[in-house]
Amino acid sequence: CCNNRPSFLIAYFGILMTGATVVNLLWTSTEQDFAFMLEDAEVDAFLCFDNYGDDDVATRAVAAMRRVPRVKQLWILPVDPEGASTVKGFPSLADLMKGQPERFTIRHFEREDPALVIYTSGSTGKQKGLEISAGAVTEVIALTVPLFEIDHCRVRLSIFTMECMMSQLFLILQPVFLGQSVVYLECENREALID
């Protein structure tokens, strides 16, 4: 659960490289919704950013995590990926990475393995987790490569939130596949979104 911060990308690719499934939770979720999604997706570990302007996201995340016994750990994703946790009693992303080897064995997905779970309210208003297999992600990226293979376009600008499924496919995963760069707009101020 994170907005457009470098920590999002570190956590996202780290989870995928370990062969685990990324379950993306919208940071605007209520404590109750967080708890439901954590339970429903059978989440073991929760990585969450601290706040968005005056919105204390971490407080809701911690309260939700405490309602779901299966979730054993929560790490805080501060603005600076190497920074200390801003939430007392919970380690930061830097703490999680401390002492880890710089290289490790990447666990590969089988085509049918779930790579991503995205929650949507659908038509009923009740959150539903959509499980997307590694094979489906690969096919979508491969089928759309011709749309983005432009010799004069090697850098993309993203004004979308990274938590959006389309952003994950076309502004996170596909550029890596094509060796392209992406510049992400980071916004920590709600008022800037209104202007």
Side-chain angles (χ1 to χ4, degrees):
C1 176
C2 191
N3 68 345
N4 288 14
R5 293 182 176 182
S7 296
F8 181 99
L9 295 172
I10 294 167
Y12 189 87
F13 284 114
I15 292 167
L16 291 175
M17 290 174 70
T18 65
T21 303
V22 171
V23 179
N24 194 53
L25 304 182
L26 297 175
W27 63 268
T28 55
S29 297
T30 65
E31 174 190 330
Q32 182 176 338
D33 287 341
F34 274 146
F36 169 77
M37 291 181 283
L38 292 169
E39 183 75 41
D40 184 63
E42 299 179 352
V43 169
D44 298 309
F46 192 8
L47 293 98
C48 184
F49 76 133
D50 44 11
N51 60 54
Y52 185 80
D54 293 336
D55 189 349
D56 186 359
V57 180
T59 297
R60 292 194 312 273
V62 167
M65 176 226 167
R66 288 183 172 146
R67 292 170 57 176
V68 183
R70 180 185 179 100
V71 182
K72 302 296 182 212
Q73 185 66 50
L74 182 141
W75 288 277
I76 300 299
L77 305 173
V79 172
D80 176 2
E82 296 180 4
S85 175
T86 55
V87 180
K88 187 176 180 176
F90 290 91
S92 69
L93 179 64
D95 295 322
L96 174 62
M97 296 188 311
K98 195 177 296 175
Q100 298 295 324
E102 288 188 25
R103 294 185 179 270
F104 65 95
T105 302
I106 296 173
R107 296 189 182 127
H108 296 279
F109 288 90
E110 297 296 326
R111 290 190 60 76
E112 65 279 355
D113 290 343
L116 306 173
V117 173
I118 306 296
Y119 275 86
T120 177
S121 60
S123 58
T124 64
K126 178 143 177 78
Q127 299 280 351
K128 290 181 241 12
L130 304 174
E131 193 174 277
I132 303 165
S133 70
V137 170
T138 302
E139 287 180 32
V140 167
I141 290 172
L143 288 171
T144 58
V145 161
L147 299 174
F148 294 96
E149 276 191 316
I150 303 169
D151 288 336
H152 65 277
C153 182
R154 289 291 170 217
V155 178
R156 300 181 194 186
L157 171 65
S158 174
I159 59 172
F160 298 100
T161 61
M162 292 179 193
E163 63 195 6
C164 168
M165 181 61 195
M166 297 307 280
S167 289
Q168 290 176 40
L169 290 173
F170 302 117
L171 295 167
I172 295 177
L173 297 171
Q174 192 182 65
V176 168
F177 178 78
L178 293 173
Q180 296 176 337
S181 299
V182 180
V183 176
Y184 294 96
L185 176 64
E186 180 181 7
C187 181
E188 292 289 335
N189 181 343
R190 283 183 188 267
E191 287 73 35
L193 294 174
I194 297 170
D195 292 342

